Amino acid sequence: MAAFERFGCGDQSSYERRFEQVIGNSSALEAVLEQVERVAPTDSTVLIQGETGTGKELIAHAIHSISLRCGRPFVRFNCAAIPLDLLESELFGHEKGAFTGAISQKIGRFELADKGTLFLDEVGDIPPGLQPKLLRVLQEQEFERLGSARTHQVDVRLVAATNRDLMDMVNRGEFRSDLYYRLNVFPILLPPLRDRCEDIPALVTHFVEVFSCRMGRQIQEVPPQTMSALCSYPWPGNIRELQNLIERAVILSNDGVLPNPLPPEGTHGIAVAPTATAAPATTLKDSERTLILRTLEGVGWVIGGPKGAATKLGLKRTTLIHKMQKLGISRPVLQNGSDGIGQAAHEVDRFPQF
């Protein structure tokens, strides 16, 4: 997310000075920044929650940058980006020979973040078997590397983030309740872009400046009708989607005028079949469900891959599946019992039946 730039650490004399690089002044964003300012000077664990693309990592960096740990390491780690069998080694490290392929000693993220801040993104993806070890290091600030009995002490401030409902996962037995309460010391909920529409013009201007400078293009005008369309769009992919569309618009610009990068209304860039079953949207939830349904139908219910629905919507594959479960979206089954895919069952990019 580039809606926020790096926060400089040092003597900050005012609230505005501390957050001068945050784009937007909506009441929803101001409330978040007030929470950041309150919790940053402490060593308390922070749990940042919000939809994909709302800027969770950048808020985590803001917390670190105005904390007493500023100048110390800020280590980022995405728990969903690492295979489960390597996750423990990545977090806590391992000794040479600890497992097949461990040809040398490895320092884990907790050691790398010693005296600083560790940002754990997608913390809801940590498997149940590893959760007790994470709970221990949060409570005792100690752990052992894989393949070693030696206990290591660390001084790490944890900031975690997730786009999942951890309390719901606790109720389903997928996440430890004691770990949840240990992470949820100071929760911060980031608003989706649709709840801070008044910030969109400033964000558009910011991204236009960034990409026009990067590409060597001169953008002198954003037509009112283009800005109006951008402000009224629901932004299911939040600021990340806005950033990507503005980059596209700068590429397509002619004569210094920013074109409207949004697809024609009702298509969302997808060829909608005449038999589409999505109902007209009347609420934000209905609108999101309609958009996802039309996108899935347009790509033949393929989720992953460069031509899949997740890519079209600007979402991660796991995020899209989670949204589909939450919205009750499942692939319709044909009358003969076939799902109509006509491909091998092991084709992982196809939509799973819930």
PDB file of all heavy atoms in Angstrom, residues 68-103:
ATOM      1  N   LEU A  68       9.221   4.268  21.072  1.00  0.00           N
ATOM      2  CA  LEU A  68      10.559   4.356  21.645  1.00  0.00           C
ATOM      3  C   LEU A  68      11.521   3.406  20.950  1.00  0.00           C
ATOM      4  O   LEU A  68      12.735   3.501  21.144  1.00  0.00           O
ATOM      5  CB  LEU A  68      10.508   4.048  23.142  1.00  0.00           C
ATOM      6  CG  LEU A  68       9.645   5.002  23.986  1.00  0.00           C
ATOM      7  CD1 LEU A  68       9.634   4.553  25.442  1.00  0.00           C
ATOM      8  CD2 LEU A  68      10.140   6.442  23.873  1.00  0.00           C
ATOM      9  N   ARG A  69      11.007   2.507  20.148  1.00  0.00           N
ATOM     10  CA  ARG A  69      11.848   1.554  19.409  1.00  0.00           C
ATOM     11  C   ARG A  69      12.243   2.079  18.034  1.00  0.00           C
ATOM     12  O   ARG A  69      12.875   1.367  17.257  1.00  0.00           O
ATOM     13  CB  ARG A  69      11.111   0.216  19.270  1.00  0.00           C
ATOM     14  CG  ARG A  69      10.865  -0.477  20.616  1.00  0.00           C
ATOM     15  CD  ARG A  69      10.013  -1.729  20.463  1.00  0.00           C
ATOM     16  NE  ARG A  69       9.741  -2.333  21.765  1.00  0.00           N
ATOM     17  CZ  ARG A  69      10.407  -3.367  22.270  1.00  0.00           C
ATOM     18  NH1 ARG A  69      11.391  -3.924  21.571  1.00  0.00           N
ATOM     19  NH2 ARG A  69      10.105  -3.854  23.456  1.00  0.00           N
ATOM     20  N   CYS A  70      11.844   3.295  17.724  1.00  0.00           N
ATOM     21  CA  CYS A  70      12.217   3.883  16.448  1.00  0.00           C
ATOM     22  C   CYS A  70      13.736   3.876  16.301  1.00  0.00           C
ATOM     23  O   CYS A  70      14.475   4.237  17.210  1.00  0.00           O
ATOM     24  CB  CYS A  70      11.691   5.313  16.381  1.00  0.00           C
ATOM     25  SG  CYS A  70      12.123   6.161  14.859  1.00  0.00           S
ATOM     26  N   GLY A  71      14.212   3.445  15.142  1.00  0.00           N
ATOM     27  CA  GLY A  71      15.644   3.302  14.934  1.00  0.00           C
ATOM     28  C   GLY A  71      16.131   1.889  15.141  1.00  0.00           C
ATOM     29  O   GLY A  71      17.236   1.533  14.718  1.00  0.00           O
ATOM     30  N   ARG A  72      15.315   1.074  15.797  1.00  0.00           N
ATOM     31  CA  ARG A  72      15.588  -0.355  15.959  1.00  0.00           C
ATOM     32  C   ARG A  72      14.936  -1.111  14.800  1.00  0.00           C
ATOM     33  O   ARG A  72      14.182  -0.533  14.020  1.00  0.00           O
ATOM     34  CB  ARG A  72      15.037  -0.852  17.302  1.00  0.00           C
ATOM     35  CG  ARG A  72      15.616  -0.137  18.517  1.00  0.00           C
ATOM     36  CD  ARG A  72      17.036  -0.603  18.797  1.00  0.00           C
ATOM     37  NE  ARG A  72      17.542  -0.044  20.036  1.00  0.00           N
ATOM     38  CZ  ARG A  72      18.682  -0.428  20.615  1.00  0.00           C
ATOM     39  NH1 ARG A  72      19.416  -1.374  20.035  1.00  0.00           N
ATOM     40  NH2 ARG A  72      19.084   0.122  21.745  1.00  0.00           N
ATOM     41  N   PRO A  73      15.169  -2.426  14.692  1.00  0.00           N
ATOM     42  CA  PRO A  73      14.616  -3.164  13.544  1.00  0.00           C
ATOM     43  C   PRO A  73      13.091  -3.151  13.494  1.00  0.00           C
ATOM     44  O   PRO A  73      12.423  -3.238  14.515  1.00  0.00           O
ATOM     45  CB  PRO A  73      15.143  -4.594  13.763  1.00  0.00           C
ATOM     46  CG  PRO A  73      16.337  -4.438  14.635  1.00  0.00           C
ATOM     47  CD  PRO A  73      16.051  -3.269  15.523  1.00  0.00           C
ATOM     48  N   PHE A  74      12.575  -3.013  12.285  1.00  0.00           N
ATOM     49  CA  PHE A  74      11.158  -3.237  12.007  1.00  0.00           C
ATOM     50  C   PHE A  74      11.113  -4.389  11.018  1.00  0.00           C
ATOM     51  O   PHE A  74      11.473  -4.236   9.846  1.00  0.00           O
ATOM     52  CB  PHE A  74      10.496  -1.997  11.418  1.00  0.00           C
ATOM     53  CG  PHE A  74       9.046  -2.205  11.054  1.00  0.00           C
ATOM     54  CD1 PHE A  74       8.068  -2.243  12.037  1.00  0.00           C
ATOM     55  CD2 PHE A  74       8.662  -2.371   9.733  1.00  0.00           C
ATOM     56  CE1 PHE A  74       6.731  -2.442  11.709  1.00  0.00           C
ATOM     57  CE2 PHE A  74       7.327  -2.565   9.394  1.00  0.00           C
ATOM     58  CZ  PHE A  74       6.359  -2.603  10.381  1.00  0.00           C
ATOM     59  N   VAL A  75      10.708  -5.567  11.492  1.00  0.00           N
ATOM     60  CA  VAL A  75      10.755  -6.788  10.691  1.00  0.00           C
ATOM     61  C   VAL A  75       9.343  -7.163  10.268  1.00  0.00           C
ATOM     62  O   VAL A  75       8.454  -7.299  11.107  1.00  0.00           O
ATOM     63  CB  VAL A  75      11.410  -7.943  11.479  1.00  0.00           C
ATOM     64  CG1 VAL A  75      11.405  -9.231  10.659  1.00  0.00           C
ATOM     65  CG2 VAL A  75      12.834  -7.567  11.887  1.00  0.00           C
ATOM     66  N   ARG A  76       9.149  -7.345   8.969  1.00  0.00           N
ATOM     67  CA  ARG A  76       7.845  -7.731   8.424  1.00  0.00           C
ATOM     68  C   ARG A  76       7.838  -9.222   8.122  1.00  0.00           C
ATOM     69  O   ARG A  76       8.827  -9.754   7.630  1.00  0.00           O
ATOM     70  CB  ARG A  76       7.558  -6.969   7.133  1.00  0.00           C
ATOM     71  CG  ARG A  76       7.670  -5.471   7.222  1.00  0.00           C
ATOM     72  CD  ARG A  76       7.655  -4.856   5.831  1.00  0.00           C
ATOM     73  NE  ARG A  76       7.735  -3.406   5.837  1.00  0.00           N
ATOM     74  CZ  ARG A  76       8.860  -2.719   5.921  1.00  0.00           C
ATOM     75  NH1 ARG A  76      10.016  -3.359   6.014  1.00  0.00           N
ATOM     76  NH2 ARG A  76       8.838  -1.398   5.901  1.00  0.00           N
ATOM     77  N   PHE A  77       6.693  -9.854   8.370  1.00  0.00           N
ATOM     78  CA  PHE A  77       6.573 -11.275   8.030  1.00  0.00           C
ATOM     79  C   PHE A  77       5.121 -11.597   7.727  1.00  0.00           C
ATOM     80  O   PHE A  77       4.231 -11.332   8.541  1.00  0.00           O
ATOM     81  CB  PHE A  77       7.070 -12.159   9.176  1.00  0.00           C
ATOM     82  CG  PHE A  77       7.028 -13.631   8.857  1.00  0.00           C
ATOM     83  CD1 PHE A  77       7.926 -14.187   7.961  1.00  0.00           C
ATOM     84  CD2 PHE A  77       6.086 -14.462   9.448  1.00  0.00           C
ATOM     85  CE1 PHE A  77       7.888 -15.540   7.656  1.00  0.00           C
ATOM     86  CE2 PHE A  77       6.042 -15.814   9.153  1.00  0.00           C
ATOM     87  CZ  PHE A  77       6.941 -16.359   8.258  1.00  0.00           C
ATOM     88  N   ASN A  78       4.876 -12.173   6.551  1.00  0.00           N
ATOM     89  CA  ASN A  78       3.528 -12.567   6.135  1.00  0.00           C
ATOM     90  C   ASN A  78       3.354 -14.052   6.403  1.00  0.00           C
ATOM     91  O   ASN A  78       3.953 -14.892   5.725  1.00  0.00           O
ATOM     92  CB  ASN A  78       3.313 -12.253   4.653  1.00  0.00           C
ATOM     93  CG  ASN A  78       1.868 -12.442   4.229  1.00  0.00           C
ATOM     94  OD1 ASN A  78       1.173 -13.335   4.709  1.00  0.00           O
ATOM     95  ND2 ASN A  78       1.392 -11.588   3.334  1.00  0.00           N
ATOM     96  N   CYS A  79       2.513 -14.380   7.366  1.00  0.00           N
ATOM     97  CA  CYS A  79       2.330 -15.775   7.778  1.00  0.00           C
ATOM     98  C   CYS A  79       1.660 -16.618   6.692  1.00  0.00           C
ATOM     99  O   CYS A  79       1.782 -17.851   6.718  1.00  0.00           O
ATOM    100  CB  CYS A  79       1.496 -15.834   9.058  1.00  0.00           C
ATOM    101  SG  CYS A  79       2.211 -14.955  10.459  1.00  0.00           S
ATOM    102  N   ALA A  80       0.960 -15.994   5.763  1.00  0.00           N
ATOM    103  CA  ALA A  80       0.268 -16.741   4.705  1.00  0.00           C
ATOM    104  C   ALA A  80       1.161 -17.006   3.509  1.00  0.00           C
ATOM    105  O   ALA A  80       0.782 -17.743   2.611  1.00  0.00           O
ATOM    106  CB  ALA A  80      -0.980 -15.985   4.266  1.00  0.00           C
ATOM    107  N   ALA A  81       2.351 -16.392   3.483  1.00  0.00           N
ATOM    108  CA  ALA A  81       3.213 -16.499   2.302  1.00  0.00           C
ATOM    109  C   ALA A  81       4.232 -17.623   2.408  1.00  0.00           C
ATOM    110  O   ALA A  81       4.992 -17.853   1.468  1.00  0.00           O
ATOM    111  CB  ALA A  81       3.939 -15.169   2.072  1.00  0.00           C
ATOM    112  N   ILE A  82       4.259 -18.317   3.533  1.00  0.00           N
ATOM    113  CA  ILE A  82       5.260 -19.353   3.785  1.00  0.00           C
ATOM    114  C   ILE A  82       4.567 -20.698   3.934  1.00  0.00           C
ATOM    115  O   ILE A  82       3.541 -20.808   4.624  1.00  0.00           O
ATOM    116  CB  ILE A  82       6.062 -19.042   5.062  1.00  0.00           C
ATOM    117  CG1 ILE A  82       6.731 -17.665   4.957  1.00  0.00           C
ATOM    118  CG2 ILE A  82       7.111 -20.118   5.330  1.00  0.00           C
ATOM    119  CD1 ILE A  82       7.764 -17.555   3.868  1.00  0.00           C
ATOM    120  N   PRO A  83       5.078 -21.764   3.303  1.00  0.00           N
ATOM    121  CA  PRO A  83       4.499 -23.103   3.510  1.00  0.00           C
ATOM    122  C   PRO A  83       4.464 -23.453   4.990  1.00  0.00           C
ATOM    123  O   PRO A  83       5.369 -23.093   5.756  1.00  0.00           O
ATOM    124  CB  PRO A  83       5.465 -24.017   2.747  1.00  0.00           C
ATOM    125  CG  PRO A  83       6.101 -23.142   1.716  1.00  0.00           C
ATOM    126  CD  PRO A  83       6.207 -21.780   2.347  1.00  0.00           C
ATOM    127  N   LEU A  84       3.422 -24.166   5.396  1.00  0.00           N
ATOM    128  CA  LEU A  84       3.216 -24.454   6.818  1.00  0.00           C
ATOM    129  C   LEU A  84       4.386 -25.193   7.446  1.00  0.00           C
ATOM    130  O   LEU A  84       4.738 -24.950   8.605  1.00  0.00           O
ATOM    131  CB  LEU A  84       1.927 -25.270   6.998  1.00  0.00           C
ATOM    132  CG  LEU A  84       0.621 -24.572   6.578  1.00  0.00           C
ATOM    133  CD1 LEU A  84      -0.566 -25.473   6.861  1.00  0.00           C
ATOM    134  CD2 LEU A  84       0.458 -23.253   7.310  1.00  0.00           C
ATOM    135  N   ASP A  85       5.043 -26.093   6.687  1.00  0.00           N
ATOM    136  CA  ASP A  85       6.125 -26.868   7.268  1.00  0.00           C
ATOM    137  C   ASP A  85       7.400 -26.042   7.471  1.00  0.00           C
ATOM    138  O   ASP A  85       8.330 -26.489   8.136  1.00  0.00           O
ATOM    139  CB  ASP A  85       6.435 -28.107   6.411  1.00  0.00           C
ATOM    140  CG  ASP A  85       6.736 -27.752   4.964  1.00  0.00           C
ATOM    141  OD1 ASP A  85       6.413 -26.629   4.544  1.00  0.00           O
ATOM    142  OD2 ASP A  85       7.291 -28.610   4.251  1.00  0.00           O
ATOM    143  N   LEU A  86       7.442 -24.832   6.913  1.00  0.00           N
ATOM    144  CA  LEU A  86       8.603 -23.962   7.085  1.00  0.00           C
ATOM    145  C   LEU A  86       8.313 -22.779   8.008  1.00  0.00           C
ATOM    146  O   LEU A  86       9.222 -22.007   8.332  1.00  0.00           O
ATOM    147  CB  LEU A  86       9.082 -23.432   5.736  1.00  0.00           C
ATOM    148  CG  LEU A  86       9.588 -24.464   4.729  1.00  0.00           C
ATOM    149  CD1 LEU A  86       9.977 -23.763   3.429  1.00  0.00           C
ATOM    150  CD2 LEU A  86      10.769 -25.237   5.300  1.00  0.00           C
ATOM    151  N   LEU A  87       7.078 -22.648   8.419  1.00  0.00           N
ATOM    152  CA  LEU A  87       6.669 -21.471   9.176  1.00  0.00           C
ATOM    153  C   LEU A  87       7.393 -21.367  10.518  1.00  0.00           C
ATOM    154  O   LEU A  87       7.862 -20.290  10.909  1.00  0.00           O
ATOM    155  CB  LEU A  87       5.156 -21.495   9.390  1.00  0.00           C
ATOM    156  CG  LEU A  87       4.502 -20.205   9.867  1.00  0.00           C
ATOM    157  CD1 LEU A  87       4.830 -19.053   8.927  1.00  0.00           C
ATOM    158  CD2 LEU A  87       2.992 -20.388   9.966  1.00  0.00           C
ATOM    159  N   GLU A  88       7.510 -22.479  11.244  1.00  0.00           N
ATOM    160  CA  GLU A  88       8.180 -22.444  12.547  1.00  0.00           C
ATOM    161  C   GLU A  88       9.641 -22.036  12.403  1.00  0.00           C
ATOM    162  O   GLU A  88      10.161 -21.237  13.182  1.00  0.00           O
ATOM    163  CB  GLU A  88       8.078 -23.806  13.237  1.00  0.00           C
ATOM    164  CG  GLU A  88       8.706 -23.819  14.629  1.00  0.00           C
ATOM    165  CD  GLU A  88       8.471 -25.115  15.374  1.00  0.00           C
ATOM    166  OE1 GLU A  88       7.852 -26.031  14.793  1.00  0.00           O
ATOM    167  OE2 GLU A  88       8.919 -25.228  16.532  1.00  0.00           O
ATOM    168  N   SER A  89      10.307 -22.577  11.385  1.00  0.00           N
ATOM    169  CA  SER A  89      11.705 -22.225  11.149  1.00  0.00           C
ATOM    170  C   SER A  89      11.850 -20.744  10.807  1.00  0.00           C
ATOM    171  O   SER A  89      12.786 -20.083  11.264  1.00  0.00           O
ATOM    172  CB  SER A  89      12.272 -23.084  10.024  1.00  0.00           C
ATOM    173  OG  SER A  89      13.551 -22.623   9.634  1.00  0.00           O
ATOM    174  N   GLU A  90      10.924 -20.202  10.015  1.00  0.00           N
ATOM    175  CA  GLU A  90      10.998 -18.796   9.633  1.00  0.00           C
ATOM    176  C   GLU A  90      10.799 -17.887  10.839  1.00  0.00           C
ATOM    177  O   GLU A  90      11.439 -16.839  10.946  1.00  0.00           O
ATOM    178  CB  GLU A  90       9.949 -18.480   8.565  1.00  0.00           C
ATOM    179  CG  GLU A  90      10.219 -19.108   7.217  1.00  0.00           C
ATOM    180  CD  GLU A  90      11.449 -18.516   6.539  1.00  0.00           C
ATOM    181  OE1 GLU A  90      11.730 -17.322   6.764  1.00  0.00           O
ATOM    182  OE2 GLU A  90      12.128 -19.241   5.792  1.00  0.00           O
ATOM    183  N   LEU A  91       9.929 -18.272  11.748  1.00  0.00           N
ATOM    184  CA  LEU A  91       9.650 -17.439  12.910  1.00  0.00           C
ATOM    185  C   LEU A  91      10.723 -17.563  13.991  1.00  0.00           C
ATOM    186  O   LEU A  91      11.149 -16.559  14.574  1.00  0.00           O
ATOM    187  CB  LEU A  91       8.284 -17.792  13.504  1.00  0.00           C
ATOM    188  CG  LEU A  91       7.054 -17.322  12.734  1.00  0.00           C
ATOM    189  CD1 LEU A  91       5.792 -17.882  13.368  1.00  0.00           C
ATOM    190  CD2 LEU A  91       6.993 -15.791  12.679  1.00  0.00           C
ATOM    191  N   PHE A  92      11.156 -18.792  14.252  1.00  0.00           N
ATOM    192  CA  PHE A  92      12.025 -19.036  15.402  1.00  0.00           C
ATOM    193  C   PHE A  92      13.433 -19.498  15.040  1.00  0.00           C
ATOM    194  O   PHE A  92      14.287 -19.605  15.914  1.00  0.00           O
ATOM    195  CB  PHE A  92      11.369 -20.069  16.332  1.00  0.00           C
ATOM    196  CG  PHE A  92       9.990 -19.660  16.780  1.00  0.00           C
ATOM    197  CD1 PHE A  92       8.864 -20.284  16.288  1.00  0.00           C
ATOM    198  CD2 PHE A  92       9.830 -18.625  17.693  1.00  0.00           C
ATOM    199  CE1 PHE A  92       7.597 -19.903  16.691  1.00  0.00           C
ATOM    200  CE2 PHE A  92       8.571 -18.229  18.109  1.00  0.00           C
ATOM    201  CZ  PHE A  92       7.445 -18.863  17.605  1.00  0.00           C
ATOM    202  N   GLY A  93      13.681 -19.761  13.773  1.00  0.00           N
ATOM    203  CA  GLY A  93      15.002 -20.189  13.353  1.00  0.00           C
ATOM    204  C   GLY A  93      15.231 -21.679  13.559  1.00  0.00           C
ATOM    205  O   GLY A  93      14.397 -22.389  14.136  1.00  0.00           O
ATOM    206  N   HIS A  94      16.375 -22.162  13.075  1.00  0.00           N
ATOM    207  CA  HIS A  94      16.712 -23.577  13.278  1.00  0.00           C
ATOM    208  C   HIS A  94      18.219 -23.741  13.322  1.00  0.00           C
ATOM    209  O   HIS A  94      18.986 -22.871  12.883  1.00  0.00           O
ATOM    210  CB  HIS A  94      16.106 -24.449  12.167  1.00  0.00           C
ATOM    211  CG  HIS A  94      16.655 -24.161  10.794  1.00  0.00           C
ATOM    212  ND1 HIS A  94      15.916 -23.547   9.810  1.00  0.00           N
ATOM    213  CD2 HIS A  94      17.877 -24.398  10.229  1.00  0.00           C
ATOM    214  CE1 HIS A  94      16.638 -23.422   8.716  1.00  0.00           C
ATOM    215  NE2 HIS A  94      17.841 -23.932   8.938  1.00  0.00           N
ATOM    216  N   GLU A  95      18.656 -24.874  13.853  1.00  0.00           N
ATOM    217  CA  GLU A  95      20.068 -25.230  13.893  1.00  0.00           C
ATOM    218  C   GLU A  95      20.405 -26.094  12.678  1.00  0.00           C
ATOM    219  O   GLU A  95      19.537 -26.706  12.066  1.00  0.00           O
ATOM    220  CB  GLU A  95      20.390 -25.993  15.184  1.00  0.00           C
ATOM    221  CG  GLU A  95      20.130 -25.203  16.456  1.00  0.00           C
ATOM    222  CD  GLU A  95      21.074 -24.029  16.635  1.00  0.00           C
ATOM    223  OE1 GLU A  95      22.126 -23.998  15.941  1.00  0.00           O
ATOM    224  OE2 GLU A  95      20.776 -23.133  17.447  1.00  0.00           O
ATOM    225  N   LYS A  96      21.657 -26.132  12.339  1.00  0.00           N
ATOM    226  CA  LYS A  96      22.126 -26.976  11.247  1.00  0.00           C
ATOM    227  C   LYS A  96      21.771 -28.434  11.539  1.00  0.00           C
ATOM    228  O   LYS A  96      22.007 -28.940  12.640  1.00  0.00           O
ATOM    229  CB  LYS A  96      23.638 -26.828  11.091  1.00  0.00           C
ATOM    230  CG  LYS A  96      24.230 -27.672   9.967  1.00  0.00           C
ATOM    231  CD  LYS A  96      25.732 -27.451   9.857  1.00  0.00           C
ATOM    232  CE  LYS A  96      26.337 -28.306   8.745  1.00  0.00           C
ATOM    233  NZ  LYS A  96      27.802 -28.107   8.627  1.00  0.00           N
ATOM    234  N   GLY A  97      21.164 -29.099  10.557  1.00  0.00           N
ATOM    235  CA  GLY A  97      20.792 -30.500  10.718  1.00  0.00           C
ATOM    236  C   GLY A  97      19.483 -30.721  11.436  1.00  0.00           C
ATOM    237  O   GLY A  97      19.121 -31.859  11.724  1.00  0.00           O
ATOM    238  N   ALA A  98      18.747 -29.647  11.726  1.00  0.00           N
ATOM    239  CA  ALA A  98      17.479 -29.799  12.460  1.00  0.00           C
ATOM    240  C   ALA A  98      16.456 -30.590  11.655  1.00  0.00           C
ATOM    241  O   ALA A  98      15.604 -31.274  12.227  1.00  0.00           O
ATOM    242  CB  ALA A  98      16.914 -28.426  12.821  1.00  0.00           C
ATOM    243  N   PHE A  99      16.538 -30.538  10.340  1.00  0.00           N
ATOM    244  CA  PHE A  99      15.651 -31.289   9.473  1.00  0.00           C
ATOM    245  C   PHE A  99      16.325 -31.404   8.113  1.00  0.00           C
ATOM    246  O   PHE A  99      17.351 -30.752   7.849  1.00  0.00           O
ATOM    247  CB  PHE A  99      14.274 -30.611   9.348  1.00  0.00           C
ATOM    248  CG  PHE A  99      14.332 -29.166   8.967  1.00  0.00           C
ATOM    249  CD1 PHE A  99      14.416 -28.768   7.633  1.00  0.00           C
ATOM    250  CD2 PHE A  99      14.312 -28.178   9.942  1.00  0.00           C
ATOM    251  CE1 PHE A  99      14.477 -27.440   7.280  1.00  0.00           C
ATOM    252  CE2 PHE A  99      14.369 -26.834   9.603  1.00  0.00           C
ATOM    253  CZ  PHE A  99      14.453 -26.464   8.267  1.00  0.00           C
ATOM    254  N   THR A 100      15.773 -32.244   7.263  1.00  0.00           N
ATOM    255  CA  THR A 100      16.344 -32.423   5.932  1.00  0.00           C
ATOM    256  C   THR A 100      16.372 -31.100   5.185  1.00  0.00           C
ATOM    257  O   THR A 100      15.355 -30.421   5.054  1.00  0.00           O
ATOM    258  CB  THR A 100      15.518 -33.442   5.123  1.00  0.00           C
ATOM    259  OG1 THR A 100      15.478 -34.681   5.836  1.00  0.00           O
ATOM    260  CG2 THR A 100      16.127 -33.654   3.752  1.00  0.00           C
ATOM    261  N   GLY A 101      17.543 -30.717   4.719  1.00  0.00           N
ATOM    262  CA  GLY A 101      17.697 -29.460   4.010  1.00  0.00           C
ATOM    263  C   GLY A 101      18.214 -28.326   4.869  1.00  0.00           C
ATOM    264  O   GLY A 101      18.545 -27.260   4.349  1.00  0.00           O
ATOM    265  N   ALA A 102      18.299 -28.543   6.189  1.00  0.00           N
ATOM    266  CA  ALA A 102      18.833 -27.510   7.084  1.00  0.00           C
ATOM    267  C   ALA A 102      20.358 -27.611   7.086  1.00  0.00           C
ATOM    268  O   ALA A 102      20.959 -28.197   7.988  1.00  0.00           O
ATOM    269  CB  ALA A 102      18.267 -27.674   8.498  1.00  0.00           C
ATOM    270  N   ILE A 103      20.973 -27.020   6.064  1.00  0.00           N
ATOM    271  CA  ILE A 103      22.417 -27.183   5.882  1.00  0.00           C
ATOM    272  C   ILE A 103      23.224 -26.159   6.679  1.00  0.00           C
ATOM    273  O   ILE A 103      24.451 -26.237   6.744  1.00  0.00           O
ATOM    274  CB  ILE A 103      22.790 -27.078   4.389  1.00  0.00           C
ATOM    275  CG1 ILE A 103      22.360 -25.712   3.825  1.00  0.00           C
ATOM    276  CG2 ILE A 103      22.129 -28.215   3.606  1.00  0.00           C
ATOM    277  CD1 ILE A 103      22.776 -25.499   2.389  1.00  0.00           C
TER     278      ILE A 103
END
